[in-house]
Amino acid sequence: MNAIIIFVLLAALMLTGMPVSISLGLTVLSFLFFFTEVPVESVALKLFTGIEKFEIMAIPFFILAGNFLTHGGVAKRMIRFATSLVGHWPGGLGLGAVVACALFAAVSGSSPATVVAVGSILLPAMVKAGYPMRFGAGVVASAGGLGILIPPSIVMVMYAVSTNSSIGALFMAGVVPGLVLAAMLMFTTYWRARRGGYPREKRANWGERVQALRQSIWGLLLIVVVMGGIYSGIFTPTEAAAMSAVYAFFIAVFVYRDLRLRDVPRTLLASANMSAMLLYIITNAVLFSFLLTHENIPQAISEWLLASGLGVIGFLLAVNILLLVMGNFMEPSSIILITAPILFPIAMKLGIDPVHFGVMITVNMEIGMITPPVGLNLYVASGISKLGLSEMTVAVWPWLLTMLIFLVIITYWPPLTLWLPRMLGMM
């Protein structure tokens, strides 16, 4: 009965148009005040203790690094390098967009940041080269989702904080699936380009490729700094995030010099705004998780599901459907922080690996980024391309279908996710 009251209250507040974070906090306060003897003062204590985790510091640092890279000329050099590799194939600029998104994803940790960085440069170039705007916007919005699958990933940090999983193992587990999905998105782009007769670029010679690599090498080295540092044990994922922010500032301001020192305060302020928003969501979600645990709701749901005979296959299918539906109406951080405390204990009782489960949830969040009406990547790509939301929804469907096929593969074939972290001895 308590579970029904909590979720009805949450749904009612969200239907009023109230932000998810405030809805979560008000649900907790209302329920504690009217239905329990728990002193409301304990909420204030929980607000602070809930975000006292060292790992959470990785989020503002990755956001700051992503903003420095977006405005610091790193993206345009990565795009030049990507198109020099694959631009001579049919749909070359589209294929270059996927490769560039994969490269930028490996340094930014955010999907919308990846769409902005790559789309603002490549979409005008694609239209000028003779591509339909709908094709270009579809490619960039979909491939931008790689920003939260290929590490570093803010969404993975959220999952790790919610479930006490290893951030390092999650990051390594995202590498192979990220590369496989990038290859599948490239195949879809190539197929669409061949069918549509879209142009290709002039083949770059090896000298031009080496020159493009040399120009982008400072940005690409950040991948080595973050992933190499975590794997070798030189620093933790949180320290890697701080290191990436300092490194991104250095190359944006002093190496590429595309970001002037007087523009740095504006970048810091934008990063602080985004970080504050996410940390406020986390704080209220921690409160909500505390309420669920206090009422033994995760344990009750877990026992009910296990008693109903729902096996691993059925449970994973149900989780995917639930997350895909929620992805239509909520952004990834909120979904993970609300559902992880409920779903994670059930997954553990069924013997599902926590790292595999985390990557599967991340892929669901990635798909949610390009599904209306709340798909963040759709809105970002719509703003760049000036296409309406309905046009954007039609534009992404071939890549959306590809991502759904990939979701089935990642869900029911755990070795794809777990092979690399196991080989590196991180599990």
Side-chain angles (χ1 to χ4, degrees):
M1 187 61 189
N2 284 351
I4 294 169
I5 293 170
I6 290 168
F7 287 110
V8 166
L9 191 56
L10 178 63
L13 289 170
M14 286 171 61
L15 286 171
T16 64
M18 192 179 288
V20 173
S21 52
I22 298 174
S23 299
L24 289 168
L26 268 180
T27 300
V28 174
L29 283 170
S30 305
F31 187 85
L32 290 178
F33 186 77
F34 291 110
F35 297 99
T36 72
E37 300 297 318
V38 176
V40 178
E41 290 80 8
S42 65
V43 171
L45 180 64
K46 198 67 189 171
L47 280 170
F48 285 98
T49 57
I51 55 169
E52 270 188 335
K53 295 183 178 178
F54 181 63
E55 295 86 353
I56 288 178
M57 284 304 298
I59 294 169
F61 284 127
F62 279 132
I63 289 170
L64 181 58
N67 278 339
F68 278 135
L69 295 168
T70 302
H71 302 296
V74 175
K76 69 181 181 186
R77 290 170 174 83
M78 284 185 172
I79 289 167
R80 198 175 299 139
F81 175 57
T83 49
S84 74
L85 296 176
V86 295
H88 56 282
W89 292 342
L93 285 180
L95 294 169
V98 178
V99 175
C101 282
L103 291 174
F104 197 80
V107 295
S108 75
S110 163
S111 280
T114 304
V115 175
V116 169
V118 176
S120 56
I121 298 167
L122 258 182
L123 278 180
M126 290 177 79
V127 172
K128 190 177 177 183
Y131 292 85
M133 177 59 86
R134 189 179 278 188
F135 173 80
V139 173
V140 173
S142 308
L146 293 167
I148 59 171
L149 181 59
I150 295 177
S153 163
I154 293 170
V155 168
M156 285 182 180
V157 174
M158 293 275 198
Y159 172 83
V161 167
S162 302
T163 61
N164 290 318
S165 301
S166 163
I167 297 178
L170 276 165
F171 279 7
M172 290 303 170
V175 173
V176 176
L179 295 175
V180 170
L181 179 56
M184 289 175 69
L185 293 174
M186 285 181 73
F187 175 78
T188 304
T189 306
Y190 176 83
W191 171 71
R192 292 278 293 172
R194 277 202 80 151
R195 278 190 59 195
Y198 299 151
R200 59 175 88 193
E201 301 296 291
K202 185 172 77 72
R203 181 189 287 269
N205 58 44
W206 282 104
E208 290 168 330
R209 288 173 181 169
V210 170
Q211 185 183 8
L213 174 62
R214 282 174 58 193
Q215 289 174 347
S216 63
I217 194 68
W218 285 99
L220 296 172
L221 277 175
L222 186 52
I223 304 170
V224 179
V225 169
V226 173
M227 301 309 291
I230 293 171
Y231 168 61
S232 63
I234 295 174
F235 35 66
T236 66
T238 308
E239 291 162 350
M243 185 70 195
S244 70
V246 173
Y247 182 90
F249 165 77
F250 179 78
I251 61 172
V253 176
F254 298 110
V255 179
Y256 292 148
R257 298 179 183 174
D258 283 15
L259 186 70
R260 293 169 298 186
L261 273 172
R262 68 171 182 231
D263 294 327
V264 170
R266 196 184 310 138
T267 306
L268 291 171
L269 186 61
S271 303
N273 281 336
M274 176 65 77
S275 301
M277 183 187 77
L278 284 176
L279 290 172
Y280 186 64
I281 293 171
I282 292 170
T283 305
N284 284 290
V286 166
L287 271 183
F288 189 72
S289 174
F290 159 73
L291 176 61
L292 294 179
T293 308
H294 181 267
E295 296 299 315
N296 290 321
I297 290 170
Q299 293 88 332
I301 294 173
S302 172
E303 286 166 11
W304 175 73
L305 282 172
L306 292 171
S308 67
L310 189 69
V312 173
I313 293 173
F315 171 72
L316 291 176
L317 177 63
V319 168
N320 281 330
I321 293 170
L322 172 68
L323 294 176
L324 289 173
V325 170
M326 291 181 76
N328 287 324
F329 305 102
M330 295 167 68
E331 51 86 40
S333 307
S334 306
I335 297 172
I336 287 177
L337 293 165
I338 292 169
T339 59
I342 300 170
L343 299 174
F344 185 76
I346 305 169
M348 295 308 95
K349 282 192 177 179
L350 289 169
I352 297 166
D353 188 274
V355 173
H356 169 237
F357 194 60
V359 173
M360 187 194 85
I361 288 178
T362 303
V363 174
N364 275 286
M365 299 304 97
E366 199 175 11
I367 294 170
M369 291 280 197
I370 57 168
T371 52
V374 189
L376 282 175
N377 286 8
L378 287 185
Y379 281 100
V380 175
S382 174
I384 298 168
S385 65
K386 303 294 184 284
L387 294 176
L389 192 62
S390 55
E391 283 184 286
M392 279 301 310
T393 305
V394 174
V396 299
W397 80 262
W399 295 274
L400 176 60
L401 195 61
T402 305
M403 290 165 88
L404 287 170
I405 293 168
F406 176 73
L407 176 61
V408 174
I409 296 169
I410 209 82
T411 300
Y412 295 112
W413 191 34
L416 181 66
T417 304
L418 302 177
W419 171 77
L420 184 60
R422 279 178 178 162
M423 190 189 77
L424 296 175
M426 301 183 79
M427 293 176 65

